[in-house]
Amino acid sequence: MNAPGNWQKSSYSGEGDGNDCVELASTPTTLHLRESDAPGTALVTAPAPLAQFLHAIRTGTPGIVASITAHQGRAC
């Protein structure tokens, strides 16, 4: 799947034209996320799952961070 050409820099990436930026591009059915210093690699997802994930993080849904960061045999 090809990403669209309308990449936008995240407002959280700070000022300047450096390569430490998160960029987003979208189509009606997909979101494309990439790091500006590795533009050939992008995370592609649909808007609904990403929105649910971000909502779970913002609301502190029990287990959401632990399920992502857990390592077998170790506490988070």
Side-chain angles (χ1 to χ4, degrees):
M1 176 181 309
N2 291 331
N6 60 339
W7 290 97
Q8 297 179 357
K9 179 180 165 182
S10 168
S11 61
Y12 290 99
S13 293
E15 297 295 323
D17 293 327
N19 286 335
D20 296 330
C21 305
V22 173
E23 299 173 324
L24 170 77
S26 65
T27 69
T29 58
T30 60
L31 296 174
H32 304 259
L33 301 161
R34 71 181 184 186
E35 192 171 342
S36 60
D37 64 348
T41 302
L43 171 68
V44 179
T45 187
L50 182 60
Q52 292 169 353
F53 176 69
L54 294 174
H55 176 75
I57 290 172
R58 288 181 186 127
T59 60
T61 299
I64 190 68
V65 174
S67 68
I68 296 166
T69 61
H71 298 279
Q72 184 141 359
R74 295 186 349 191
C76 294

